[in-house]
C-alpha cells in the first residue's frame, strides 16, 4: 500500500442517516489499523471552513456503531458554495497536515467535494449516506435499510388503528425525487396504492383503485405517498379530494417526517458502513481519489464522483408490478 497520505479527515454533511456513526468509526479505525492519523470535522463543510477539527483515535469512536445521527454533526453549508469558503477550508486542511478527505453524505455533499478537488487537487472520497437511496453507483445508501424498517414498523401500527375504524390512511414517507422508500415499504406494509415521483398514477386511477378495493371486501386501506410524488396534489389535498369524491370513506393523513431519519442502524447498515469505511480509506491510501464507494452485486466498488452525482437511480419496475399484484 503506497502511503503518501499521513492524515485523513472525515466529515458528515447534508441530511443525516442511520449508519453515519458506524461509517465514522470504520474510517477512524481503518486509519488506526494502517497507522495514519484521523481527524473528525464537526458540522460538515461549515466546520471545515472554521477548522473545527478533533483528532480521533480508535478508542474515541467506541460505543457509536449502534447510534443513530452523527457524532460529528451535520450541516448544509452556504459558505462552502463560495470560492472564498472553499479556499478557507483548503487552508485549514493544509495547516492541519491533512492529505485526504472522506465525505459521508448525499449528492449535494459530493458536488461540493468534487468542486473542491477540481480547484485545489485535494484528494476526496465519498461514502453515500442518505435514507433516500437516490445515489447512482450503489444498490444501497447508508441508512436506507434502517429507514425502511422504521417506516414498516410505523405502517404496521397505523394499520392496527386503520382496521379498527375501517379507515383509509394516506401515509407520507420521505423521498424528494425518488420513490425507493415508498415502493419498498408499500409492498412490505401491504399498501393498496403507492404514489411515487417516477410514476404519475393520476387521481382518477387512484379513486378507481380504492373503489375496487372497497367492492372486493376491504374495509380499511393504506396508501403510501412519497413526499415528491407527481400526482400534483400534496397529501392533505389528496385527502380532501378523496373525501369529496368517495362518500363511504373516512380518511386520515399521517406524515411520518423526520422520525424516518433517526434510530439505531440496522445490522445491514452497520455492516455496510464498516465495509464502506475500510474501502474508502484503503482506496485513498492506494492513491485512488475522487471516487464514491458503493455496494454493487455485494462487492465494494468505486464509482467516479462525477458519475455518482450525474447518474440517476432507477426504480425497480419488477417491484411496481409486484405491488400491483399484491393489492388485488
Ligand atoms: O435527503 C434526505 C431527506 O431526508 C429527504 O428525504 C427529505 O426530503 C429531506 O432530507 C429533508 O431535509 P431537511 O433536513 O432539510 O428537513
Amino acid at each position: 500500500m503506497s502511503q503518501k497520505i499521513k492524515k485523513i479527515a472525515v466529515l458528515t454533511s447534508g441530511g443525516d442517516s442511520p449508519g453515519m456513526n458506524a461509517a465514522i468509526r470504520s474510517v477512524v479505525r481503518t486509519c488506526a489499523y494502517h497507522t495514519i492519523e484521523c481527524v473528525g470535522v464537526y458540522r460538515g463543510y461549515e466546520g471545515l471552513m472554521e477548522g473545527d477539527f478533533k483528532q480521533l483515535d480508535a478508542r474515541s469512536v467506541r460505543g457509536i456503531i449502534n447510534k443513530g445521527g452523527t457524532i460529528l454533526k451535520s450541516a448544509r453549508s452556504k459558505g462552502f458554495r463560495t470560492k472564498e469558503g472553499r479556499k478557507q477550508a483548503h487552508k485549514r486542511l493544509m495547516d492541519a497536515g491533512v492529505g485526504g478527505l472522506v465525505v459521508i453524505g448525499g449528492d449535494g455533499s459530493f458536488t461540493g467535494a468534487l468542486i473542491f478537488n477540481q480547484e485545489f487537487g485535494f484528494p476526496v472520497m465519498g461514502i453515500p449516506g442518505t435514507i433516500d437511496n437516490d445515489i447512482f453507483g450503489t444498490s444501497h445508501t447508508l441508512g436506507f435499510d434502517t429507514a425502511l424498517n422504521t417506516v414498516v414498523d410505523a405502517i404496521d401500527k397505523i394499520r392496527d388503528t386503520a382496521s379498527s375504524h375501517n379507515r383509509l390512511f394516506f401515509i407520507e414517507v420521505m423521498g424528494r425525487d425518488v420513490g425507493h422508500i415508498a415502493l419498498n415499504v408499500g409492498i412490505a406494509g401491504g399498501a393498496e396504492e403507492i404514489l411515487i415521483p417516477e410514476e404519475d398514477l393520476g387521481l382518477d386511477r387512484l379513486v378507481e383503485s380504492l373503489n375496487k378495493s372497497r367492492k372486493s371486501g376491504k374495509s380499511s386501506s393504506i396508501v403510501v405517498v412519497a413526499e415528491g410524488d407527481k400526482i400534483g396534489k400534496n397529501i392533505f389535498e389528496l385527502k380532501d379530494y378523496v373525501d369529496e369524491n368517495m362518500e363511504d370513506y373516512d380518511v386520515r393523513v399521517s406524515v411520518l417526517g423526520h422520525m424516518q431519519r433517526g434510530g439505531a442502524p440496522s445490522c445491514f447498515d452497520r455492516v455496510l458502513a464498516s465495509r464502506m469505511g475500510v474501502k474508502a480509506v484503503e482506496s485513498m491510501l492506494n492513491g485512488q481519489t475522487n471516487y464514491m464507494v458503493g455496494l454493487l452485486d455485494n462487492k465494494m466498488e468505486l464509482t467516479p464522483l462525477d458519475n455518482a452525482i450525474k447518474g440517476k437511480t432507477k426504480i425497480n419496475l419488477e417491484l411496481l408490478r409486484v405491488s400491483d399484484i399484491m393489492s388485488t
Side-chain angles (χ1 to χ4, degrees):
M1 208 160 277
S2 73
Q3 286 206 12
K4 281 188 205 120
I5 295 179
K6 297 275 176 253
K7 196 188 273 191
I8 282 180
V10 57
L11 61 79
T12 48
S13 164
D16 65 340
S17 68
M20 281 186 163
N21 279 327
I24 294 166
R25 174 181 180 267
S26 174
V27 168
V28 171
R29 293 210 170 153
T30 308
C31 287
Y33 180 86
H34 290 288
T35 57
I36 63 162
E37 288 180 70
C38 188
V39 290
V41 179
Y42 285 92
R43 295 172 296 113
Y45 293 124
E46 284 293 303
L48 196 62
M49 293 181 301
E50 290 169 21
D52 194 359
F53 302 165
K54 185 181 173 194
Q55 191 87 16
L56 297 173
D57 63 19
R59 293 288 73 74
S60 61
V61 287
R62 65 157 70 99
I64 66 166
I65 191 167
N66 56 337
K67 300 274 189 286
T70 157
I71 58 159
L72 292 177
K73 316 272 182 194
S74 193
R76 292 189 169 109
S77 170
K78 282 200 184 125
F80 196 71
R81 289 193 196 147
T82 66
K83 182 130 195 197
E84 194 44 46
R86 292 190 294 273
K87 205 170 143 194
Q88 210 176 316
H90 182 247
K91 184 171 183 317
R92 298 283 190 189
L93 287 168
M94 298 313 280
D95 289 349
V98 175
L101 175 67
V102 176
V103 173
I104 308 171
D107 55 358
S109 311
F110 292 165
T111 303
L114 192 60
I115 295 173
F116 189 61
N117 169 270
Q118 287 161 350
E119 281 174 354
F120 302 100
F122 198 87
V124 293
M125 188 65 71
I127 292 183
T130 164
I131 64 165
D132 291 358
N133 207 34
D134 58 350
I135 304 199
F136 179 81
T138 188
S139 62
H140 290 75
T141 54
L142 278 185
F144 176 54
D145 181 69
T146 305
L148 293 183
N149 288 305
T150 302
V151 177
V152 167
D153 190 41
I155 293 178
D156 287 348
K157 289 180 170 124
I158 292 170
R159 181 175 288 288
D160 288 346
T161 174
S163 62
S164 303
H165 291 269
N166 291 346
R167 278 176 175 160
L168 164 66
F169 265 88
F170 283 103
I171 303 178
E172 186 183 281
V173 301
M174 279 188 169
R176 268 182 302 213
D177 308 312
V178 294
H180 297 297
I181 295 180
L183 190 51
N184 283 276
V185 301
I187 292 174
E192 300 310 317
E193 281 298 344
I194 304 169
L195 308 182
I196 55 175
E198 292 84 347
E199 223 207 18
D200 187 350
L201 180 72
L203 283 170
D204 292 343
R205 255 200 63 202
L206 174 67
V207 168
E208 192 187 308
S209 155
L210 292 173
N211 274 329
K212 213 171 111 202
S213 299
R214 193 39 56 109
K215 283 193 191 118
S216 77
K218 293 185 185 176
S219 54
S220 66
S221 292
I222 302 278
V223 175
V224 172
V225 186
E227 61 177 341
D229 100 284
K230 290 274 184 300
I231 209 161
K233 292 191 180 291
N234 75 37
I235 195 158
F236 294 100
E237 290 169 336
L238 271 182
K239 173 196 182 292
D240 291 345
Y241 186 86
V242 171
D243 266 342
E244 278 161 27
N245 291 280
M246 303 180 76
E247 283 176 3
D248 296 344
Y249 272 105
D250 187 13
V251 192
R252 293 289 185 276
V253 167
S254 190
V255 177
L256 298 186
H258 290 76
M259 59 87 79
Q260 296 164 88
R261 289 222 303 241
S266 63
C267 174
F268 180 89
D269 276 327
R270 296 181 202 190
V271 174
L272 182 64
S274 303
R275 293 175 75 185
M276 284 179 164
V278 171
K279 181 74 177 174
V281 172
E282 293 194 337
S283 302
M284 279 195 132
L285 295 182
N286 278 329
Q288 286 155 308
T289 174
N290 304 346
Y291 287 99
M292 181 197 79
V293 175
L295 182 71
L296 293 172
D297 292 329
N298 201 27
K299 288 199 194 81
M300 282 294 108
E301 303 284 359
L302 297 178
T303 297
L305 266 185
D306 203 21
N307 296 0
I309 294 161
K310 288 189 190 136
K312 290 269 165 268
T313 57
K314 289 206 178 85
I315 208 76
N316 184 340
L317 295 176
E318 187 224 332
L319 289 187
L320 268 183
R321 186 159 176 273
V322 168
S323 119
D324 275 350
I325 295 174
M326 288 305 109
S327 60
T328 303

